[in-house]
């Protein structure tokens, strides 16, 4: 429901294959959440996909241009988002399976 709630969730559990993150959230923005996550779990920060309505600040535009994360623009087709999420999750799981223990 908010960036603060998302951060609290991630502070308690970072075992996620993918994080879909709205760019503009209350209390903590998606950019701030991502920047924090990059300091505590860079691998998971790389798996953040930003969701945005397209109307964002100059700072948000600069941030999105600086990070390599994917961005999904609203409105989106739920089936297309589900397909993208499934592809990214499969790719992450395959990569994790190949990684040395």
């Amino acid at each position: 429901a908010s960036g603060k709630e998302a951060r609290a969730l991630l502070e308690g559990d970072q075992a996620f294959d993918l994080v879909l993150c709205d760019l503009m959230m209350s209390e903590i923005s998606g950019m701030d959440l991502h920047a924090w996550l990059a300091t505590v779990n860079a691998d998971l920060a790389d798996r953040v996909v930003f969701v945005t309505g397209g109307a964002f600040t100059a700072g948000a535009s600069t941030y999105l241009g600086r990070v390599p994360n994917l961005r999904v623009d609203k409105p989106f087709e739920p089936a297309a988002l589900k397909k993208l999420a499934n592809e990214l999750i499969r790719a992450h799981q395959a990569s994790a399976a190949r990684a040395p223990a």
Side-chain angles (χ1 to χ4, degrees):
S2 71
K4 185 176 179 181
E5 186 177 329
R7 181 170 169 165
L9 178 67
L10 289 167
E11 285 174 336
D13 181 6
Q14 294 180 8
F16 292 92
D17 295 314
L18 177 68
V19 175
L20 296 174
C21 180
D22 204 316
L23 191 60
M24 306 308 270
M25 296 184 289
S26 63
E27 301 180 78
I28 298 175
S29 73
M31 298 166 293
D32 292 336
L33 181 69
H34 178 263
W36 165 79
L37 189 55
T39 66
V40 298
N41 188 334
D43 184 51
L44 184 56
D46 289 344
R47 295 192 308 273
V48 169
V49 175
F50 292 107
V51 180
T52 179
F56 42 82
T57 65
S61 181
T62 300
Y63 191 84
L64 289 175
R66 198 173 73 234
V67 298
N69 298 67
L70 293 177
R71 184 180 85 204
V72 174
D73 293 315
K74 297 176 193 173
F76 52 81
E77 290 293 324
L81 181 61
K82 183 177 180 180
K83 180 180 178 195
L84 173 66
N86 285 332
E87 289 170 358
L88 294 171
I89 289 167
R90 279 194 300 274
H92 167 67
Q93 290 173 342
S95 175
R98 288 190 306 269

